[in-house]
Amino acid sequence: MEDFNWKEYLKDSFISMLWFSLLLFPMLVMKITVKGGMADVTYRWGYLVVIPVSAFILSALWKYFRERQQGGDKADKRGEIAALFRRTFIENRTVKKVSIISAILIMAFYPVFSGMYNTNVMISALIYIMLGLGLNIVLGLGGMLHLGHAAFFAVGAYTYGLFFKYAGQFFVDAGISTGWMFWIALPAGGIMAAVFGVLLSLPVLRLRGDYLAIVTLAFGEIMRMVLQNWGNVTGGATGISLIPRPWLFGINVTPRLAAVYIYYIVFAFVIISIITVSRLENSRIGRAWEAMREDEIACQSMGIDLVRNKLTAFILGSVWAGVAGVLFASQTTYINPDSFTIWESILILCIVVLGGTGSISGVILGALIIKLLPEYMRAFAQYRLLVFGLALVLMMIFRPGGIIKKVRKIYRFPLDEENDAAAEGQN
Amino acid sequence: MEKIMEIDNLSMVFGGLKAIDNVNMSINSGAITALIGPNGAGKTTLFNCITGVYKPTSGSVSIKKPGQKESEKISGLKPHIINRKGLARTFQNIRLFSNMSVLENVMVGRHHKLKANIMGALLRDRKTREEEEKVVNDSYEILKKINLHKFVNEMARNLPYGAQRRLEIARALSTDPFLLLLDEPAAGMNPLETRELEDTINRLRSEEKITILLIEHDMSLVMNISEHIYVVDYGKMIAEGSPDEVKRNPDVIKAYLGE
Amino acid sequence: MDYFLKLLLSGTAKGSIYALIALGYTMVYGIIKLINFAHGEIYMIGAFVALLVGGTLQSAGVNPAVILVVSTLAAVFFAAAYGLTMEKIAYKPLRTAPRLSVLISAIGMSMFLQNLVLLSQTEKYLSFPSFLPEFLFLKPIRGYINSTQFIILIITSIVMVLLTLLIKFTLIGKAMRATSQDREMAQLVGININSVITVTFIIGSATAAIGGILICSYMGQINYYIGFIAGIKAFVAAVLGGIGSIPGAVLGSFVLGWTESLGTGYISSDYEDSFAFIILILILTVKPSGILGRKENQKV
Ligand SMILES: Nc1ncnc2c1ncn2[C@@H]1O[C@H](COP(=O)(O)OP(=O)(O)OP(=O)(O)O)[C@@H](O)[C@H]1O
Ligand SMILES: [Mg+2]
């Protein structure tokens, strides 16, 4: 604290106060409306107080945190405390077990003690957990910045939607419940997504990281435009409605019960996803993916076939999104292209990056924050993209690993344990 | 002596720059061979051509594994194929998987020795579990050989510099090569570490029967351990021979000291 | 033939606007190897500032020529200021971070700026009054090219020439070229990388603002989202021409403008925006280095 240079802080803050007042004046203070060819500008003078004050404070905070980040020994001390915290709480086996079990219990009984609205909100959060975990394979493990994830979500949803639209009558005529269609669509959606994944990966897999991002983005937009404009097949902007809910022993259930039913189906899929990702992560395949993310050239030189491993990561991620799409269609019973825009892809990106790239619990937390916060804080909802955008920037600068950083598996060897014991004996 | 690698009229051109110019070279089985030359001479480029990171503009590289009769051409193949044929390398500008643990870095090298596919990884059947256990133990053994086992669970990027260089070697070893290419393994090491490295390299040759080709600027290390030395300058091979021959060669002296 | 010529001319006008935006992309990419996702937002903000300033002056009854000059200057200034600030906040702290981190930061910045304008102004399309003059001498050929298109062509050419001169002959231009060729070397010979980057952002943002005013005058409307689509298209143009290359960006922009114009004219106008994306996927599959770009051999 003795070297706290308040003069410099004051100077910097004062400059940014002036600078941001100027910068934001036209955007925040002025407001334009155009009526009948004539522009009408109104002024919101209140901002002239808000901007300088917040610029002053934020600038000081920015400087403080940047300096702390760069500072050496102080940071080490904090690192120690953080490590201690991690050891006692996060890496502690009992704590981990207890929290996992209680989380599963809460989630398992969630629809029982919450209303239909809350159940539906939670279903969509769970679907986004699946989407996040799928993207986590591609981005978190494989290191490929995939900005077209929503397109595969769409492939799944539309597989179900179109299947219903064109084959539904057949099921009705044959006297089979249309609810069965869900169970056929589920694998079909995954397979279709895989097919599209292969198609996209042909051009994509040879590309460098940033080109891959832009091509996947382009793919997502093309997909959305096709859905939007190919009206007589896809239903165009109005989409497809009255998609049947999953079959439940032929019972014609109330919407509330249907929501509960779908909740459990989605919940089961989330559990499966978690197990899948965590098992893959600690297998030879997951290690190859991570090596590929860390350094492609070294990875190849260690005998790993880059194209093949990228392909599996990409396809697996796509399949996950496809299955999530089918679940989504069955929950909302109504789909249109608006649910699958580039912003949806970017939201899924936010889930992974903000939650914790590569970390399963991080992705879960990310999905809950991003889907539930705007839902339950209505006032916040309109600012969500603004906030998430800013959060992406700040996260990259101050905490690139995300809120919950990935914890690496610890391997124990007999000799190690002897060493540890010896070391502890000395203390 | 059996030749295990033969480089024939190899050239590599970048734009207008001939980084390698008609180089010929051969490596004897079980030998420690050094490749030296001033900065920018084209040594690393030659490694890149051998290991498939670059596709050479012309010429060829062929190998003959010890005990095999036929030699096979490897130039033009993909790096992972070349690696699977038994050539492993380290990188001059350390290229570890920095956010993975030391053990995992080595485990990655064993990737293609393992068989588990996605289904195996998901179901974790007995075969996969046993395989996984074996790779963990094998990797640990490799780390022990290079004296890195005290860092097993450490993140690769947190290792001291010298240890990172050694981890590069351990990772390369884990792919079970018969020919190991080391690109400036002693760069940035202190004298003590360099001496240990010298022991390690000698041990690899005598105990593991691995042939070694190394690029190095540390002349005392080169003169101490190598039987045969190749000297490149401006992409051309200007001299070769035993350490004593090379030391006395006027062209080499000129290349190092300038005109 | 008539129809074709018309399409070609409108494609040229469109292409020259893309060029103004693509230049910023290609220059920034050349120097810090970043796809600046938020570049399109800078251009949108430039156009909004022009609208705000122009609107204020218009309701005060100022002479149209003065409005044009003042609002253009304001747009250029604010766009440059936003570009500069964005670089300082979102990219500079990540100089040594992995490229993907910077890219994600750019995406975040793009979201932030877009929503800043959305929330502080409006989500609706606003009609953009044409500040540009009408030329009487173009009357006879109005069927082919109107005044706005004519001005677009003229201004784009002027900007291109100035930029070329700047990069070829000035000291900062040389520093920029050196930095884009080899950043470490440039640093070693005493070039201040940070100031080169700053200047690059300022120039790129300023040209984008000019593009913003022109395209809004051409389309006659503006909205917070225009930056995103135009930004992506300009990026496609830059990649098409060979990213990092300035003549490449211009060429790529024209090719894209023509394709879009002819495509919508002869195939279908429903898919106007998808032509850019299809071209992008094709070019990156067949020749990722673009038309004028050189193949990059990653040094190992
Ligand atoms: N990918 C590339 N593109 C263009 N030029 C390259 C590339 N790789 C290497 N070079 C050039 O080839 C020449 C040889 O470089 P190389 O790295 O092989 O030298 P070196 O002998 O390993 O030097 P050092 O001892 O400094 O490591 C240099 O002039 C270098 O700039
Ligand atoms: Mg070298």
Side-chain angles (χ1 to χ4, degrees):
Chain A
M1 270 301 140
E2 62 273 18
D3 54 15
F4 184 79
N5 190 345
W6 63 270
K7 264 188 196 158
E8 204 181 309
Y9 269 83
L10 217 56
K11 195 183 110 208
D12 281 10
S13 288
F14 189 71
I15 292 173
S16 18
M17 186 172 102
L18 294 180
W19 178 248
F20 281 99
S21 302
L22 176 68
L23 204 60
L24 293 171
F25 187 87
M27 281 305 147
L28 292 183
V29 178
M30 295 168 89
K31 184 181 168 82
I32 188 143
T33 39
V34 182
K35 276 192 213 93
M38 276 309 278
D40 179 27
V41 177
T42 49
Y43 294 87
R44 297 166 284 195
W45 296 113
Y47 276 114
L48 223 41
V49 181
V50 178
I51 302 169
V53 172
S54 19
F56 191 89
I57 296 169
L58 291 176
S59 157
L61 283 177
W62 169 265
K63 194 172 160 62
Y64 173 71
F65 281 111
R66 288 286 294 153
E67 272 172 10
R68 200 166 88 162
Q69 190 184 20
Q70 284 154 352
D73 45 339
K74 262 190 241 159
D76 275 356
K77 218 178 244 163
R78 276 193 312 124
E80 267 169 42
I81 296 169
L84 186 70
F85 178 81
R86 230 187 7 252
R87 269 200 305 277
T88 37
F89 294 105
I90 297 173
E91 279 166 21
N92 184 318
R93 286 215 178 154
T94 14
V95 173
K96 201 171 161 185
K97 253 188 207 150
V98 169
S99 48
I100 288 179
I101 290 173
S102 45
I104 291 178
L105 281 178
I106 291 176
M107 292 310 278
F109 291 103
Y110 187 81
V112 178
F113 54 76
S114 57
M116 181 173 150
Y117 171 75
N118 289 330
T119 306
N120 269 321
V121 169
M122 194 51 92
I123 293 174
S124 56
L126 289 177
I127 290 177
Y128 272 77
I129 292 180
M130 271 188 78
L131 286 170
L133 288 172
L135 184 62
N136 188 45
I137 296 178
V138 184
L139 173 67
L141 298 177
M144 296 179 276
L145 186 51
H146 181 6
L147 296 180
H149 208 56
F152 295 96
F153 190 36
V155 168
Y158 270 88
T159 302
Y160 187 19
L162 292 174
F163 178 47
F164 164 70
K165 189 174 166 192
Y166 292 102
Q169 194 55 43
F170 171 79
F171 275 70
V172 174
D173 291 345
I176 309 169
S177 161
T178 50
W180 280 108
M181 300 185 84
F182 169 81
W183 296 104
I184 303 172
L186 208 52
I191 292 169
M192 281 307 283
V195 171
F196 276 89
V198 173
L199 278 182
L200 177 59
S201 46
L202 292 179
V204 153
L205 295 185
R206 281 164 223 290
L207 297 177
R208 266 201 332 253
D210 39 6
Y211 278 2
L212 186 142
I214 206 92
V215 169
T216 48
L217 184 153
F219 173 78
E221 281 297 278
I222 292 174
M223 183 69 93
R224 191 188 56 78
M225 279 178 223
V226 170
L227 294 178
Q228 185 115 32
N229 292 320
W230 201 14
N232 39 19
V233 174
T234 62
T238 42
I240 300 169
S241 47
L242 296 174
I243 298 169
R245 294 205 167 85
W247 183 84
L248 177 64
F249 310 109
I251 308 168
N252 228 343
V253 290
T254 59
R256 154 127 175 91
L257 257 184
V260 172
Y261 180 44
I262 292 174
Y263 179 92
Y264 283 111
I265 295 175
V266 176
F267 183 59
F269 271 98
V270 168
I271 301 277
I272 294 173
S273 315
I274 293 172
I275 294 174
T276 307
V277 176
S278 72
R279 288 199 162 182
L280 280 175
E281 217 170 53
N282 290 311
S283 74
R284 88 189 250 276
I285 297 161
R287 285 192 299 269
W289 286 338
E290 286 197 84
M292 179 166 100
R293 172 197 70 201
E294 292 296 309
D295 190 321
E296 291 194 353
I297 287 174
C299 176
Q300 278 181 298
S301 298
M302 293 305 125
I304 290 172
D305 184 346
L306 217 55
V307 172
R308 189 194 165 118
N309 278 285
K310 279 189 175 179
L311 193 69
T312 42
F314 207 79
I315 291 177
L316 218 60
S318 308
V319 168
W320 243 252
V323 171
V326 177
L327 295 171
F328 174 77
S330 78
Q331 183 215 356
T332 54
T333 70
Y334 166 67
I335 51 173
N336 73 354
D338 286 345
S339 312
F340 311 104
T341 61
I342 155 86
W343 296 106
E344 221 55 39
S345 296
I346 288 186
L347 222 51
I348 306 168
L349 175 76
C350 290
I351 287 176
V352 175
V353 170
L354 299 183
T357 316
S359 140
I360 295 175
S361 40
V363 171
I364 294 172
L365 182 70
L368 294 179
I369 291 177
I370 280 176
K371 285 314 275 188
L372 300 186
L373 215 57
E375 200 63 52
Y376 291 113
M377 290 175 64
R378 283 286 165 189
F380 170 75
Q382 72 178 125
Y383 297 103
R384 71 195 172 118
L385 290 178
L386 185 88
V387 172
F388 294 153
L390 198 59
L392 279 185
V393 176
L394 295 179
M395 202 56 110
M396 285 301 111
I397 296 171
F398 293 108
R399 206 179 158 83
I403 301 174
I404 302 184
K405 280 196 198 137
K406 177 173 173 143
V407 184
R408 297 216 75 85
K409 181 167 173 179
I410 303 281
Y411 294 87
R412 290 261 158 232
F413 297 90
L415 201 68
D416 276 5
E417 267 154 27
E418 278 164 36
N419 284 348
D420 286 355
E424 261 166 43
Q426 276 169 2
N427 285 344
Chain B
M1 257 302 170
E2 202 187 359
K3 290 195 166 49
I4 58 162
M5 184 170 77
E6 195 100 40
I7 295 175
D8 198 23
N9 273 324
L10 197 79
S11 293
M12 177 83 221
V13 183
F14 296 114
L17 176 79
K18 267 201 161 177
I20 299 185
D21 193 355
N22 268 324
V23 162
N24 291 294
M25 196 171 157
S26 62
I27 305 288
N28 285 333
S29 177
I32 296 180
T33 312
L35 178 62
I36 62 171
N39 286 113
K43 306 177 295 291
T44 301
T45 306
L46 186 61
F47 266 29
N48 287 335
C49 289
I50 296 173
T51 54
V53 176
Y54 294 159
K55 261 202 177 90
T57 316
S58 65
S60 71
V61 181
S62 37
I63 55 165
K64 198 169 85 178
K65 282 187 204 174
Q68 239 170 30
K69 286 198 197 77
E70 291 294 309
S71 75
E72 57 178 324
K73 194 179 149 201
I74 55 164
S75 43
L77 297 179
K78 288 258 169 62
H80 68 271
I81 307 278
I82 294 180
N83 173 269
R84 290 176 191 184
K85 291 191 186 295
L87 274 73
R89 71 174 291 182
T90 65
F91 294 90
Q92 177 180 359
N93 48 344
I94 300 175
R95 281 176 167 266
L96 291 171
F97 307 128
S98 37
N99 291 308
M100 297 173 80
S101 70
V102 168
L103 187 75
E104 284 166 330
N105 265 270
V106 176
M107 284 162 82
V108 168
R110 299 204 71 75
H111 178 87
H112 72 278
K113 302 261 177 258
L114 310 179
K115 297 209 175 54
N117 56 11
I118 291 195
M119 269 348 255
L122 289 185
L123 301 176
R124 276 231 176 127
D125 52 325
R126 215 186 69 211
K127 231 171 72 195
T128 314
R129 282 198 312 267
E130 280 169 5
E131 189 184 78
E132 196 67 4
E133 201 171 310
K134 185 163 182 310
V135 67
V136 170
N137 290 328
D138 289 353
S139 304
Y140 189 66
E141 288 307 313
I142 293 170
L143 285 176
K144 264 187 181 164
K145 267 182 221 160
I146 308 293
N147 194 17
L148 279 170
H149 55 290
K150 64 167 183 264
F151 295 119
V152 236
N153 288 310
E154 203 69 51
M155 209 85 108
R157 73 178 137 92
N158 294 338
L159 289 192
Y161 195 77
Q164 293 199 4
R165 287 235 172 264
R166 279 186 287 142
L167 181 53
E168 279 258 349
I169 299 179
R171 185 179 67 175
L173 279 182
S174 69
T175 64
D176 284 349
F178 68 86
L179 174 60
L180 184 60
L181 299 99
L182 305 173
D183 197 345
E184 302 199 13
M189 283 189 174
N190 62 35
L192 187 72
E193 286 175 314
T194 310
R195 200 138 6 99
E196 273 174 30
L197 176 74
E198 195 179 315
D199 286 348
T200 310
I201 295 177
N202 276 321
R203 230 168 347 102
L204 288 179
R205 187 255 299 263
S206 57
E207 287 169 19
E208 315 282 328
K209 309 282 178 253
I210 296 176
T211 309
I212 285 160
L213 172 61
L214 89 158
I215 296 176
E216 192 43 73
H217 283 299
D218 182 335
M219 279 310 139
S220 69
L221 174 65
V222 169
M223 298 300 162
N224 276 348
I225 61 171
S226 44
E227 279 110 55
H228 200 81
I229 299 178
Y230 284 94
V231 190
V232 279
D233 191 19
Y234 291 112
K236 285 199 173 64
M237 195 65 80
I238 57 166
E240 65 164 303
S242 67
D244 281 331
E245 286 165 0
V246 164
K247 253 190 268 186
R248 273 183 268 112
N249 187 316
D251 288 339
V252 177
I253 297 168
K254 210 163 79 185
Y256 270 91
L257 299 178
E259 296 300 320
Chain C
M1 200 57 221
D2 236 26
Y3 186 54
F4 177 77
L5 202 65
K6 233 159 111 178
L7 291 176
L8 203 64
L9 276 170
S10 77
T12 311
K14 238 185 191 171
S16 31
I17 298 175
Y18 290 151
L20 287 173
I21 310 172
L23 280 173
Y25 266 118
T26 227
M27 280 171 25
V28 166
Y29 192 92
I31 287 183
I32 55 174
K33 303 281 175 276
L34 161 71
I35 298 177
N36 182 10
F37 251 87
H39 186 60
E41 269 57 59
I42 296 292
Y43 128 93
M44 178 268 294
I45 285 175
F48 249 104
V49 169
L51 178 64
L52 283 161
V53 173
T56 313
L57 297 176
Q58 203 179 32
S59 43
V62 179
N63 171 331
V66 177
I67 296 184
L68 181 62
V69 173
V70 173
S71 57
T72 306
L73 287 179
V76 166
F77 170 78
F78 275 98
Y82 269 90
L84 176 80
T85 312
M86 171 173 84
E87 199 279 317
K88 286 274 175 301
I89 293 175
Y91 307 143
K92 197 172 169 204
L94 297 172
R95 237 16 136 234
T96 54
R99 263 160 86 173
L100 278 195
S101 305
V102 197
L103 195 55
I104 291 173
S105 183
I107 293 173
M109 211 57 206
S110 166
M111 276 167 87
F112 176 77
L113 291 176
Q114 225 178 77
N115 284 280
L116 181 73
V117 175
L118 164 70
L119 293 168
S120 67
Q121 299 295 326
T122 173
E123 57 176 18
K124 291 196 207 80
Y125 268 98
L126 294 174
S127 62
F128 195 87
S130 180
F131 301 129
L132 304 178
E134 283 286 332
F135 292 121
L136 287 177
F137 67 88
L138 282 176
K139 215 164 195 172
I141 50 167
R142 216 157 66 219
Y144 297 100
I145 182 168
N146 61 30
S147 297
T148 312
Q149 287 173 329
F150 183 73
I151 293 171
I152 288 173
L153 290 179
I154 299 290
I155 293 187
T156 311
S157 323
I158 295 174
V159 172
M160 295 299 155
V161 171
L162 286 180
L163 210 59
T164 314
L165 292 180
L166 178 107
I167 290 185
K168 276 246 157 76
F169 298 111
T170 64
L171 206 59
I172 186 73
K174 280 180 191 150
M176 284 164 77
R177 275 184 291 154
T179 310
S180 91
Q181 239 163 46
D182 192 334
R183 188 149 114 199
E184 269 151 43
M185 253 340 246
Q187 212 152 14
L188 284 179
V189 298
I191 292 173
N192 182 346
I193 302 296
N194 280 330
S195 54
V196 169
I197 295 174
T198 306
V199 171
T200 309
F201 268 88
I202 290 179
I203 297 175
S205 306
T207 40
I210 295 175
I213 299 175
L214 292 177
I215 203 169
C216 290
S217 308
Y218 183 56
M219 298 295 194
Q221 56 179 9
I222 186 172
N223 140 306
Y224 74 98
Y225 199 60
I226 57 166
F228 191 72
I229 293 294
I232 288 183
K233 285 189 184 170
F235 174 76
V236 172
V239 172
L240 186 61
I243 197 146
S245 145
I246 288 182
V250 177
L251 181 64
S253 302
F254 284 124
V255 173
L256 180 62
W258 292 324
T259 315
E260 278 194 357
S261 188
L262 297 177
T264 44
Y266 286 112
I267 304 173
S268 155
S269 61
D270 283 347
Y271 290 92
E272 180 176 357
D273 289 340
S274 56
F275 292 115
F277 296 134
I278 293 168
I279 289 187
L280 178 73
I281 293 183
L282 286 180
I283 187 85
L284 286 180
T285 318
V286 181
K287 193 170 186 292
S289 50
I291 304 172
L292 294 185
R294 263 184 303 147
K295 198 176 160 222
E296 237 178 283
N297 221 330
Q298 194 193 353
K299 266 193 198 181
V300 176

